[in-house]
Amino acid sequence: MNEKLLNLTDKQCPVNELMNYAKTHKCADCGKCVFGYEGATQLELTMADITMKRSRATDMEQLKKLCTMMVEQSLCDDGIELGQTALAMLDKYADDFAAHIAKKSCKAGVCKKFVTFHILPDLCIGCGDCVDECEDDAIMGKKKFIHVIDQSECTQCGKCVSACDEEAIVMAGAVKPRGPLKPVPCKR
Ligand code: SF4
Ligand code: SF4
């Protein structure tokens, strides 16, 4: 079993880590047995779906069945190891998987589809530099007004973060900063 994957830091996302592990695992290139090769492929695809907000409520149950079959029916230790590692991760990080699937949230802020960008009202001076940087016209505001990101238009590219000299634009995972819904006059 891969112990490193069972000791992740807060900045690592278990879904993303398992996806990359399955993708680069020996079984993904082998093909000598169905449960090793197909198991690695299905694990990678399912993790990719979860990170892209395309998960289904039944994913956890299906993944556990798949990994159990990998452990029981793979022809060599590699397939067995991958199945065991995945099963241990599904168990240890059950809350993280559930948050991705049910709440569409990534605590570590790694899965780009789950993160959002926000303008901190106390730091924004209403200069408008971020508006020029946003190719999606997702930032609302005018001079001397606290700017606001329209989440329905934002494509999470992150370009506006470096455009703001005041460091007022931040990325958020599960916990979102508070701010006005529409531009309001600056306090500064
Ligand atoms: S978020 Fe930054 S760049 Fe955008 S208006 Fe406010 S201070 Fe200017
Ligand atoms: S993250 Fe990209 S799309 Fe979203 S507001 Fe910033 S620049 Fe615009």
Side-chain angles (χ1 to χ4, degrees), residues 131-176:
V131 177
D132 297 337
E133 191 65 32
C134 181
E135 291 165 11
D136 296 289
D137 292 332
I139 304 181
M140 303 178 282
K142 57 185 180 183
K143 289 281 172 206
K144 299 280 178 198
F145 272 65
I146 293 169
H147 285 48
V148 176
I149 295 178
D150 180 348
Q151 300 299 336
S152 64
E153 296 294 331
C154 177
T155 54
Q156 290 94 28
C157 73
K159 286 182 187 163
C160 53
V161 174
S162 54
C164 179
D165 291 340
E166 304 300 316
E167 298 185 354
I169 307 184
V170 294
M171 187 179 82
V175 182
K176 313 292 184 195

Short mmCIF file of all heavy atoms in Angstrom, two decimals, residues 131-176:
data_model
loop_
_atom_site.label_atom_id
_atom_site.label_comp_id
_atom_site.label_asym_id
_atom_site.label_seq_id
_atom_site.Cartn_x
_atom_site.Cartn_y
_atom_site.Cartn_z
N VAL A 131 -10.57 44.84 -13.77
CA VAL A 131 -11.58 44.81 -14.85
C VAL A 131 -10.88 44.67 -16.20
O VAL A 131 -11.29 43.88 -17.05
CB VAL A 131 -12.45 46.08 -14.82
CG1 VAL A 131 -13.44 46.09 -15.97
CG2 VAL A 131 -13.19 46.19 -13.50
N ASP A 132 -9.78 45.41 -16.36
CA ASP A 132 -9.04 45.36 -17.63
C ASP A 132 -8.45 43.98 -17.88
O ASP A 132 -8.27 43.56 -19.01
CB ASP A 132 -7.90 46.39 -17.62
CG ASP A 132 -8.43 47.81 -17.50
OD1 ASP A 132 -9.60 48.01 -17.86
OD2 ASP A 132 -7.70 48.70 -17.03
N GLU A 133 -8.13 43.27 -16.81
CA GLU A 133 -7.48 41.96 -16.94
C GLU A 133 -8.46 40.84 -17.23
O GLU A 133 -8.10 39.81 -17.79
CB GLU A 133 -6.75 41.65 -15.61
CG GLU A 133 -5.81 40.49 -15.66
CD GLU A 133 -4.62 40.72 -16.60
OE1 GLU A 133 -4.18 41.87 -16.74
OE2 GLU A 133 -4.17 39.73 -17.21
N CYS A 134 -9.73 41.03 -16.87
CA CYS A 134 -10.71 39.94 -16.98
C CYS A 134 -11.30 39.85 -18.39
O CYS A 134 -12.10 40.68 -18.80
CB CYS A 134 -11.83 40.12 -15.96
SG CYS A 134 -13.02 38.78 -16.04
N GLU A 135 -10.91 38.79 -19.09
CA GLU A 135 -11.38 38.61 -20.47
C GLU A 135 -12.84 38.16 -20.52
O GLU A 135 -13.47 38.16 -21.57
CB GLU A 135 -10.50 37.58 -21.18
CG GLU A 135 -9.11 38.10 -21.44
CD GLU A 135 -8.12 36.99 -21.81
OE1 GLU A 135 -8.57 35.86 -22.07
OE2 GLU A 135 -6.92 37.28 -21.84
N ASP A 136 -13.36 37.74 -19.38
CA ASP A 136 -14.74 37.23 -19.36
C ASP A 136 -15.75 38.27 -18.88
O ASP A 136 -16.92 37.93 -18.67
CB ASP A 136 -14.80 35.99 -18.46
CG ASP A 136 -13.96 34.88 -19.04
OD1 ASP A 136 -14.36 34.32 -20.06
OD2 ASP A 136 -12.88 34.59 -18.49
N ASP A 137 -15.29 39.50 -18.70
CA ASP A 137 -16.18 40.56 -18.21
C ASP A 137 -16.94 40.15 -16.95
O ASP A 137 -18.15 40.40 -16.83
CB ASP A 137 -17.19 40.97 -19.30
CG ASP A 137 -16.50 41.65 -20.47
OD1 ASP A 137 -15.44 42.26 -20.24
OD2 ASP A 137 -17.00 41.54 -21.60
N ALA A 138 -16.21 39.49 -16.06
CA ALA A 138 -16.87 38.96 -14.86
C ALA A 138 -16.74 39.89 -13.66
O ALA A 138 -17.25 39.58 -12.58
CB ALA A 138 -16.29 37.60 -14.52
N ILE A 139 -16.06 41.04 -13.83
CA ILE A 139 -15.88 41.92 -12.68
C ILE A 139 -16.71 43.19 -12.83
O ILE A 139 -16.61 43.91 -13.83
CB ILE A 139 -14.38 42.28 -12.49
CG1 ILE A 139 -13.57 40.98 -12.36
CG2 ILE A 139 -14.20 43.16 -11.24
CD1 ILE A 139 -12.08 41.17 -12.15
N MET A 140 -17.56 43.41 -11.82
CA MET A 140 -18.45 44.58 -11.83
C MET A 140 -17.83 45.68 -10.99
O MET A 140 -17.22 45.41 -9.95
CB MET A 140 -19.81 44.21 -11.24
CG MET A 140 -20.49 43.04 -11.94
SD MET A 140 -22.07 42.63 -11.16
CE MET A 140 -21.56 41.72 -9.72
N GLY A 141 -18.00 46.93 -11.44
CA GLY A 141 -17.51 48.05 -10.63
C GLY A 141 -17.17 49.26 -11.46
O GLY A 141 -17.13 49.19 -12.69
N LYS A 142 -16.95 50.38 -10.78
CA LYS A 142 -16.48 51.59 -11.43
C LYS A 142 -15.53 52.29 -10.47
O LYS A 142 -15.37 51.85 -9.31
CB LYS A 142 -17.64 52.49 -11.84
CG LYS A 142 -18.55 52.89 -10.70
CD LYS A 142 -19.73 53.68 -11.25
CE LYS A 142 -20.64 54.09 -10.11
NZ LYS A 142 -21.84 54.80 -10.52
N LYS A 143 -14.87 53.37 -10.93
CA LYS A 143 -13.86 54.05 -10.11
C LYS A 143 -14.40 54.36 -8.71
O LYS A 143 -15.53 54.84 -8.57
CB LYS A 143 -13.44 55.37 -10.77
CG LYS A 143 -12.59 55.17 -12.01
CD LYS A 143 -11.13 54.85 -11.67
CE LYS A 143 -10.37 54.47 -12.94
NZ LYS A 143 -9.22 53.61 -12.74
N LYS A 144 -13.54 54.08 -7.72
CA LYS A 144 -13.84 54.36 -6.30
C LYS A 144 -14.99 53.52 -5.75
O LYS A 144 -15.54 53.83 -4.69
CB LYS A 144 -14.17 55.86 -6.09
CG LYS A 144 -13.04 56.80 -6.46
CD LYS A 144 -12.03 56.85 -5.34
CE LYS A 144 -10.85 57.73 -5.69
NZ LYS A 144 -9.69 57.49 -4.85
N PHE A 145 -15.36 52.48 -6.47
CA PHE A 145 -16.35 51.54 -5.96
C PHE A 145 -15.68 50.20 -5.69
O PHE A 145 -14.78 49.79 -6.44
CB PHE A 145 -17.49 51.33 -6.97
CG PHE A 145 -18.61 52.33 -6.83
CD1 PHE A 145 -18.39 53.69 -7.07
CD2 PHE A 145 -19.89 51.91 -6.46
CE1 PHE A 145 -19.42 54.61 -6.94
CE2 PHE A 145 -20.92 52.83 -6.32
CZ PHE A 145 -20.69 54.19 -6.56
N ILE A 146 -16.09 49.54 -4.62
CA ILE A 146 -15.59 48.19 -4.34
C ILE A 146 -16.08 47.29 -5.47
O ILE A 146 -17.29 47.23 -5.74
CB ILE A 146 -16.12 47.68 -2.98
CG1 ILE A 146 -15.52 48.52 -1.84
CG2 ILE A 146 -15.81 46.20 -2.79
CD1 ILE A 146 -16.18 48.27 -0.50
N HIS A 147 -15.14 46.63 -6.12
CA HIS A 147 -15.50 45.78 -7.24
C HIS A 147 -15.98 44.41 -6.75
O HIS A 147 -15.61 43.97 -5.66
CB HIS A 147 -14.31 45.64 -8.19
CG HIS A 147 -14.08 46.88 -9.00
ND1 HIS A 147 -14.06 48.14 -8.44
CD2 HIS A 147 -13.88 47.06 -10.33
CE1 HIS A 147 -13.87 49.05 -9.39
NE2 HIS A 147 -13.74 48.41 -10.56
N VAL A 148 -16.78 43.78 -7.59
CA VAL A 148 -17.40 42.49 -7.20
C VAL A 148 -17.29 41.52 -8.38
O VAL A 148 -17.53 41.91 -9.53
CB VAL A 148 -18.89 42.69 -6.83
CG1 VAL A 148 -19.55 41.36 -6.52
CG2 VAL A 148 -19.02 43.64 -5.64
N ILE A 149 -16.92 40.29 -8.09
CA ILE A 149 -16.83 39.28 -9.15
C ILE A 149 -18.18 38.58 -9.31
O ILE A 149 -18.77 38.11 -8.34
CB ILE A 149 -15.73 38.26 -8.83
CG1 ILE A 149 -14.37 38.97 -8.86
CG2 ILE A 149 -15.76 37.09 -9.84
CD1 ILE A 149 -13.19 38.11 -8.51
N ASP A 150 -18.67 38.56 -10.53
CA ASP A 150 -19.92 37.86 -10.83
C ASP A 150 -19.59 36.38 -11.00
O ASP A 150 -18.99 35.97 -12.00
CB ASP A 150 -20.51 38.45 -12.13
CG ASP A 150 -21.81 37.78 -12.52
OD1 ASP A 150 -22.15 36.74 -11.94
OD2 ASP A 150 -22.48 38.31 -13.43
N GLN A 151 -19.96 35.58 -10.01
CA GLN A 151 -19.57 34.16 -10.02
C GLN A 151 -20.17 33.39 -11.19
O GLN A 151 -19.62 32.38 -11.62
CB GLN A 151 -19.95 33.50 -8.69
CG GLN A 151 -19.29 34.13 -7.47
CD GLN A 151 -17.76 34.06 -7.50
OE1 GLN A 151 -17.17 33.21 -8.16
NE2 GLN A 151 -17.10 34.99 -6.80
N SER A 152 -21.28 33.88 -11.71
CA SER A 152 -21.90 33.15 -12.83
C SER A 152 -21.14 33.39 -14.15
O SER A 152 -21.29 32.65 -15.10
CB SER A 152 -23.36 33.55 -12.98
OG SER A 152 -23.45 34.91 -13.33
N GLU A 153 -20.31 34.43 -14.16
CA GLU A 153 -19.53 34.72 -15.38
C GLU A 153 -18.06 34.30 -15.24
O GLU A 153 -17.37 34.09 -16.23
CB GLU A 153 -19.56 36.23 -15.68
CG GLU A 153 -20.94 36.78 -16.01
CD GLU A 153 -21.48 36.21 -17.32
OE1 GLU A 153 -20.67 35.88 -18.20
OE2 GLU A 153 -22.70 36.08 -17.45
N CYS A 154 -17.58 34.21 -14.01
CA CYS A 154 -16.16 33.91 -13.77
C CYS A 154 -15.82 32.49 -14.22
O CYS A 154 -16.53 31.54 -13.91
CB CYS A 154 -15.86 34.07 -12.27
SG CYS A 154 -14.17 33.65 -11.84
N THR A 155 -14.71 32.38 -14.95
CA THR A 155 -14.28 31.06 -15.44
C THR A 155 -13.10 30.52 -14.62
O THR A 155 -12.42 29.58 -15.04
CB THR A 155 -13.87 31.14 -16.92
OG1 THR A 155 -12.89 32.18 -17.07
CG2 THR A 155 -15.06 31.44 -17.81
N GLN A 156 -12.84 31.14 -13.49
CA GLN A 156 -11.78 30.72 -12.55
C GLN A 156 -10.39 30.68 -13.18
O GLN A 156 -9.58 29.82 -12.86
CB GLN A 156 -12.10 29.33 -11.95
CG GLN A 156 -13.24 29.30 -11.00
CD GLN A 156 -14.55 28.93 -11.66
OE1 GLN A 156 -14.57 28.23 -12.66
NE2 GLN A 156 -15.64 29.39 -11.11
N CYS A 157 -10.11 31.61 -14.08
CA CYS A 157 -8.78 31.62 -14.72
C CYS A 157 -7.71 32.14 -13.76
O CYS A 157 -6.54 31.81 -13.90
CB CYS A 157 -8.80 32.47 -15.99
SG CYS A 157 -8.88 34.24 -15.67
N GLY A 158 -8.11 32.98 -12.79
CA GLY A 158 -7.17 33.48 -11.80
C GLY A 158 -6.31 34.66 -12.23
O GLY A 158 -5.47 35.13 -11.47
N LYS A 159 -6.52 35.15 -13.45
CA LYS A 159 -5.64 36.23 -13.96
C LYS A 159 -5.78 37.53 -13.16
O LYS A 159 -4.84 38.31 -13.07
CB LYS A 159 -5.96 36.50 -15.43
CG LYS A 159 -5.45 35.42 -16.36
CD LYS A 159 -5.74 35.78 -17.80
CE LYS A 159 -5.39 34.63 -18.72
NZ LYS A 159 -6.02 34.77 -20.03
N CYS A 160 -6.96 37.78 -12.62
CA CYS A 160 -7.17 39.05 -11.92
C CYS A 160 -6.35 39.14 -10.63
O CYS A 160 -6.05 40.24 -10.16
CB CYS A 160 -8.65 39.23 -11.60
SG CYS A 160 -9.36 37.83 -10.73
N VAL A 161 -5.97 38.00 -10.06
CA VAL A 161 -5.27 38.02 -8.77
C VAL A 161 -3.99 38.85 -8.86
O VAL A 161 -3.73 39.73 -8.04
CB VAL A 161 -4.95 36.57 -8.29
CG1 VAL A 161 -4.10 36.58 -7.04
CG2 VAL A 161 -6.24 35.80 -8.05
N SER A 162 -3.19 38.59 -9.89
CA SER A 162 -1.91 39.31 -10.00
C SER A 162 -2.10 40.74 -10.52
O SER A 162 -1.20 41.57 -10.43
CB SER A 162 -0.94 38.55 -10.89
OG SER A 162 -1.55 38.28 -12.12
N ALA A 163 -3.30 41.05 -11.05
CA ALA A 163 -3.54 42.41 -11.56
C ALA A 163 -3.79 43.39 -10.42
O ALA A 163 -3.69 44.60 -10.61
CB ALA A 163 -4.73 42.40 -12.52
N CYS A 164 -4.11 42.89 -9.27
CA CYS A 164 -4.47 43.77 -8.15
C CYS A 164 -3.27 44.03 -7.24
O CYS A 164 -2.84 43.15 -6.49
CB CYS A 164 -5.61 43.14 -7.34
SG CYS A 164 -6.06 44.17 -5.93
N ASP A 165 -2.76 45.26 -7.27
CA ASP A 165 -1.60 45.62 -6.44
C ASP A 165 -1.96 45.64 -4.95
O ASP A 165 -1.09 45.60 -4.08
CB ASP A 165 -1.06 46.99 -6.84
CG ASP A 165 -0.41 46.94 -8.22
OD1 ASP A 165 -0.06 45.83 -8.66
OD2 ASP A 165 -0.28 48.01 -8.86
N GLU A 166 -3.24 45.76 -4.66
CA GLU A 166 -3.68 45.83 -3.25
C GLU A 166 -3.84 44.44 -2.63
O GLU A 166 -4.22 44.31 -1.47
CB GLU A 166 -5.03 46.56 -3.16
CG GLU A 166 -5.04 47.95 -3.76
CD GLU A 166 -4.05 48.88 -3.10
OE1 GLU A 166 -3.99 48.87 -1.85
OE2 GLU A 166 -3.35 49.60 -3.82
N GLU A 167 -3.62 43.42 -3.42
CA GLU A 167 -3.81 42.02 -2.98
C GLU A 167 -5.22 41.81 -2.43
O GLU A 167 -5.44 41.12 -1.43
CB GLU A 167 -2.75 41.62 -1.95
CG GLU A 167 -1.36 41.69 -2.55
CD GLU A 167 -0.27 41.18 -1.63
OE1 GLU A 167 -0.56 40.86 -0.47
OE2 GLU A 167 0.86 41.11 -2.10
N ALA A 168 -6.17 42.44 -3.11
CA ALA A 168 -7.57 42.36 -2.66
C ALA A 168 -8.31 41.17 -3.26
O ALA A 168 -9.42 40.87 -2.84
CB ALA A 168 -8.30 43.64 -3.03
N ILE A 169 -7.71 40.50 -4.24
CA ILE A 169 -8.42 39.37 -4.89
C ILE A 169 -7.83 38.06 -4.40
O ILE A 169 -6.61 37.84 -4.48
CB ILE A 169 -8.34 39.48 -6.42
CG1 ILE A 169 -8.83 40.87 -6.86
CG2 ILE A 169 -9.19 38.39 -7.07
CD1 ILE A 169 -8.90 41.09 -8.34
N VAL A 170 -8.70 37.21 -3.87
CA VAL A 170 -8.24 35.95 -3.29
C VAL A 170 -9.01 34.78 -3.86
O VAL A 170 -10.14 34.92 -4.33
CB VAL A 170 -8.41 35.96 -1.74
CG1 VAL A 170 -7.49 36.99 -1.11
CG2 VAL A 170 -9.86 36.21 -1.35
N MET A 171 -8.36 33.63 -3.78
CA MET A 171 -9.01 32.38 -4.20
C MET A 171 -9.59 31.72 -2.95
O MET A 171 -8.96 31.77 -1.90
CB MET A 171 -7.96 31.47 -4.82
CG MET A 171 -8.51 30.23 -5.44
SD MET A 171 -7.17 29.24 -6.17
CE MET A 171 -6.54 28.41 -4.72
N ALA A 172 -10.77 31.12 -3.05
CA ALA A 172 -11.35 30.47 -1.88
C ALA A 172 -11.81 29.06 -2.20
O ALA A 172 -12.30 28.79 -3.30
CB ALA A 172 -12.54 31.30 -1.37
N GLY A 173 -11.62 28.18 -1.22
CA GLY A 173 -12.11 26.81 -1.35
C GLY A 173 -13.48 26.71 -0.71
O GLY A 173 -14.42 27.39 -1.13
N ALA A 174 -13.58 25.89 0.34
CA ALA A 174 -14.89 25.67 0.96
C ALA A 174 -15.39 26.91 1.71
O ALA A 174 -16.58 27.19 1.75
CB ALA A 174 -14.81 24.49 1.91
N VAL A 175 -14.46 27.66 2.33
CA VAL A 175 -14.87 28.84 3.10
C VAL A 175 -14.75 30.08 2.22
O VAL A 175 -13.67 30.41 1.74
CB VAL A 175 -13.98 29.00 4.37
CG1 VAL A 175 -14.43 30.19 5.19
CG2 VAL A 175 -14.01 27.73 5.19
N LYS A 176 -15.86 30.78 2.00
CA LYS A 176 -15.87 31.95 1.12
C LYS A 176 -15.84 33.25 1.94
O LYS A 176 -16.58 33.36 2.93
CB LYS A 176 -17.14 31.98 0.25
CG LYS A 176 -17.48 30.65 -0.42
CD LYS A 176 -16.48 30.27 -1.49
CE LYS A 176 -16.90 29.00 -2.20
NZ LYS A 176 -15.81 28.40 -2.99
#
